[in-house]
Amino acid sequence: MAIKLSEISTVEPKDAEKDRIKRRTEKYLVKIEDLQKKLYAEEKKALLVIFQGMDASGKDGAIKNIFRGLIPMGVNVHCFKKPTEEEFGHDFLWRVHHVVPRKGMIQIFNRSHYEDVLIQRVHKWIDEDTVKNRFEHINSFEKLLEDTGTRVLKFYLHISKEAQLERLLERKTNPEKHWKHNPDDMKERELWDDYMEAYEDCFKHCSEHATWHIIPADKNWYKEYLIAKYVCEALEEMDPQWPALVENEA
Amino acid sequence: MAIKLSEISTVEPKDAEKDRIKRRTEKYLVKIEDLQKKLYAEEKKALLVIFQGMDASGKDGAIKNIFRGLIPMGVNVHCFKKPTEEEFGHDFLWRVHHVVPRKGMIQIFNRSHYEDVLIQRVHKWIDEDTVKNRFEHINSFEKLLEDTGTRVLKFYLHISKEAQLERLLERKTNPEKHWKHNPDDMKERELWDDYMEAYEDCFKHCSEHATWHIIPADKNWYKEYLIAKYVCEALEEMDPQWPALVENEA
């Protein structure tokens, strides 16, 4: 899909009423909790939920608020940081493949293999041929997952440049957010337009086997509503079932 | 490549003289030792050597005799056994990807992801659509490795059904080989023709990014010669270089 992010709203539609939307989110969350128990018990399929977005786009908050009601044995979060030396010594999908969910599990990626065609591309640490080659390998990798029973959901949390500035500044004024403050974030912000282009290319080249959902994310209540909706719908489609009772014969 | 294994000799060519061949093997091994040191020091590329073959085709012996002169930090062997529950809970390439070599290393696979389209197919644990799908994913996986600096060498050790019987029987008579005796091997032997067909299909469908070498393996000295030759040639092509001296400036 060819997408211009600048043409997509970062806020909720005009007719969205906050209270009604929040009640709907609650309903989705209850359904997700029920479906997750079945997914875990059945052990036949898995769900991988990928979160991407600029700094302060609200990935952590989304993960916390959507998934905290789930049974912990059945859900994991993996944060992708700067690759270690061991990870750099392998192909870029090596560390990613290792942490995909086993059957029955929901795995959440806070950032992902897409960083290998985002930050690395924007900073020109890799050339454009490598970018194209990585798109191809990402598609093959996501097809492998889909073909073998893992549903892949990809969310891009879409915030405005202004909302980002506000949130980054809050990290300096609010003591509970100091730990999130990173002076480099302001430098990355200068590359905003390059990041937007790099994201648009991800949507264009890597939507073959798992679609991207672009989530207007300036308002947390609307962002959470949409994510809950898509996660719930994905689980409903996967349709996990309580396993039948196994009794030893007398 | 369309190949009929029954039309390919399992013994050395008529003009091969054992003594001369063994001297040549020795020369290749010396070169391999030298090239491996450079590969390890340079840390830019990796070599993956895959061994497949029927029971008693001489995989262990080949690995021992070709690679034992190498510096141990730079070489690893991974034996693929029956998948664990954790491994079965993931896609078939999950456990394989995890043990591919990092840059600088030689990794040896004693059996490999090809078992997922061999033993599993011959026993009909998977359907033919899954087999085709796996061929496709194997090709993408091997392309990923080749594209990211890992050379993949694949050896099929080709023995005759008679040679296999002789070797399997020796495992019952020679106390030093008792540990290799497995009564199931005789049962698998009954499926010989099915295995040959399944192997032929691997050569046909999975030679795109990494070629198969079919090694006449009834005679160990000839088998080892050919493997040493191909490993040496692959390393020569990879052309690893001693890194330049890095000195701190005064």
Side-chain angles (χ1 to χ4, degrees), chain B residues 80-217:
Chain B
F80 287 90
K81 311 259 180 183
K82 186 174 177 293
T84 62
E85 252 193 79
E86 180 71 17
E87 290 168 348
F88 262 131
H90 291 85
D91 66 88
F92 75 106
L93 289 171
W94 181 74
R95 66 175 185 157
V96 185
H97 200 170
H98 189 51
V99 291
V100 298
R102 69 173 278 177
K103 293 182 203 318
M105 298 292 293
I106 296 179
Q107 177 70 296
I108 296 151
F109 283 179
N110 189 339
R111 303 193 185 273
S112 66
H113 43 291
Y114 284 97
E115 291 299 328
D116 296 284
V117 285
L118 288 166
I119 186 170
Q120 294 206 25
R121 183 185 196 184
V122 165
H123 286 275
K124 299 190 170 54
W125 298 331
I126 51 173
D127 62 25
E128 287 298 301
D129 283 346
T130 304
V131 174
K132 268 185 213 148
N133 187 270
R134 287 187 178 183
F135 283 150
E136 187 195 312
H137 287 304
I138 288 174
N139 283 330
S140 302
F141 173 60
E142 292 180 0
K143 184 171 190 300
L144 171 67
L145 296 179
E146 288 276 351
D147 284 352
T148 53
T150 296
R151 189 72 207 284
V152 182
L153 271 185
K154 300 185 288 197
F155 293 114
Y156 169 69
L157 304 192
H158 185 38
I159 52 165
S160 64
K161 214 176 162 183
E162 299 71 41
Q164 189 202 37
L165 182 62
E166 210 174 287
R167 293 180 188 185
L168 289 179
L169 292 176
E170 202 206 337
R171 292 180 177 182
K172 293 173 80 173
T173 52
N174 179 348
E176 281 190 26
K177 297 206 169 170
H178 284 353
W179 67 283
K180 290 201 159 197
H181 171 67
N182 176 351
D184 287 345
D185 291 349
M186 278 304 201
K187 269 195 217 150
E188 286 302 293
R189 183 177 153 78
E190 288 168 22
L191 300 165
W192 185 276
D193 293 344
D194 296 339
Y195 270 108
M196 292 304 108
E197 269 181 46
Y199 267 113
E200 285 161 4
D201 255 19
C202 291
F203 307 148
K204 190 172 165 191
H205 296 288
C206 299
S207 294
E208 231 174 287
H209 308 292
T211 325
W212 279 98
H213 296 287
I214 296 165
I215 307 290

Side-chain angles (χ1 to χ4, degrees), chain A residues 85-86 88-94 97-103 133 136-137 140 143-145 147-148, chain B residues 85-86 88-94 97-98 100-103 133 136-137 140 143-145 147-148:
Chain A
E85 251 193 81
E86 180 72 17
F88 262 131
H90 290 86
D91 66 88
F92 76 106
L93 290 171
W94 181 74
H97 201 170
H98 188 49
V99 290
V100 299
R102 67 174 279 177
K103 293 182 203 322
N133 188 270
E136 186 193 315
H137 287 303
S140 302
K143 184 171 192 299
L144 171 67
L145 297 179
D147 284 351
T148 54
Chain B
E85 252 193 79
E86 180 71 17
F88 262 131
H90 291 85
D91 66 88
F92 75 106
L93 289 171
W94 181 74
H97 200 170
H98 189 51
V100 298
R102 69 173 278 177
K103 293 182 203 318
N133 187 270
E136 187 195 312
H137 287 304
S140 302
K143 184 171 190 300
L144 171 67
L145 296 179
D147 284 352
T148 53

